[in-house]
Amino acid sequence: MLLFAVATLLAAIAACVQGTVGFGLALTSAPLLALLDPAFVPVPLLVASLPVSLAALVRERQHADVHGVLSAFAGRVPGTALGALAVAALPVLLLHVSIGVLVLLGVAVSLWAPRFEPTRRVLVGAGVISGVTGTIAAIGGPPIALVYQHATGPTLRATLALYFSAGTVLSLAALWLTGSFGHHEAVLSAVLVPGTVVGFLASGSVLRIVDAGRLRPLVLGAAVVSAIVLLVTALL
């Protein structure tokens, strides 16, 4: 019971982060959940993240950049294939360290680069990177979030929610077809879902504070944390 209580708490905190910033659920919870039970990742975490993404999309649906998501997915498909090839050909340690450094460089460049718009070309490129990083290390959010870092809070969260909802459904379908979604994963999913629902509801109380000029620093900070977590877990 203690294990389930800790897992629920972790899921709630991670869902609150994603409900506020737009991404970060997996990176803030996956390493610790895997320590509790490796089977928590990826299927139960994906299942538990889906209500958060759908609820975030419903909450701010009128702000979602549908065309932007379509452009990003046009890049995600080949990016996913490239990521799968990289996993098969290169050492995991090298890949994870490279992605961690890449995300940190992306944050550094965005701090100094002039403001830019999420054009179709930029979104396709971010989608490719997201597909690669998501397939290799399950951190597909930062590349898209960095593209939308200058957008309003509702636009950022709703667009990422749409992007994650579609991507999660595809991932779960693939895992189910490959036999990776069994009874044990279903039980662990049921443990995490209440926590993610509570965490998402809690995020609503801080949106006004975050959207008052504090969202971009949080987006960049979350991207940095995700890169550091990846580097630390890869090197330990």
Side-chain angles (χ1 to χ4, degrees), residues 49-61 161 165 197 200-201:
S49 71
L50 187 56
V52 175
S53 297
L54 292 174
L57 179 59
V58 170
R59 183 173 64 185
E60 299 177 299
R61 58 190 177 277
S165 296
V197 171
F200 175 78
L201 292 175

Side-chain angles (χ1 to χ4, degrees), residues 180-204:
S180 300
F181 198 155
H183 179 265
H184 186 53
E185 287 75 18
V187 171
L188 295 181
S189 299
V191 171
L192 295 182
V193 168
T196 56
V197 171
V198 170
F200 175 78
L201 292 175
S203 72

Side-chain angles (χ1 to χ4, degrees), residues 3-70:
L3 182 148
F4 287 173
V6 172
T8 301
L9 178 61
L10 289 173
I13 294 172
C16 186
V17 171
Q18 179 146 325
T20 303
V21 183
F23 70 104
L25 189 150
L27 260 294
T28 53
S29 61
L32 293 177
L33 286 174
L35 290 177
L36 296 176
D37 186 338
F40 272 120
V41 183
V43 173
L45 191 55
L46 284 171
V47 172
S49 71
L50 187 56
V52 175
S53 297
L54 292 174
L57 179 59
V58 170
R59 183 173 64 185
E60 299 177 299
R61 58 190 177 277
Q62 67 270 27
H63 299 285
D65 182 5
V66 178
H67 294 295
V69 170
L70 291 174

Side-chain angles (χ1 to χ4, degrees), residues 63-160:
H63 299 285
D65 182 5
V66 178
H67 294 295
V69 170
L70 291 174
S71 296
F73 255 90
R76 178 164 182 154
V77 174
T80 299
L82 288 173
L85 291 173
V87 169
L90 299 171
V92 174
L93 174 62
L94 174 62
L95 292 172
H96 283 202
V97 170
S98 298
I99 290 172
V101 172
L102 180 64
V103 172
L104 291 176
L105 286 174
V107 171
V109 169
S110 69
L111 286 172
W112 295 101
R115 182 173 180 142
F116 58 88
E117 296 298 324
T119 62
R120 187 176 188 279
R121 181 178 297 179
V122 170
L123 282 163
V124 171
V128 172
I129 297 172
S130 175
V132 172
T133 60
T135 301
I136 294 172
I139 59 167
I144 306 298
L146 289 175
V147 171
Y148 283 96
Q149 63 181 283
H150 295 291
T152 63
T155 297
L156 172 68
R157 288 187 295 268
T159 302
L160 285 175

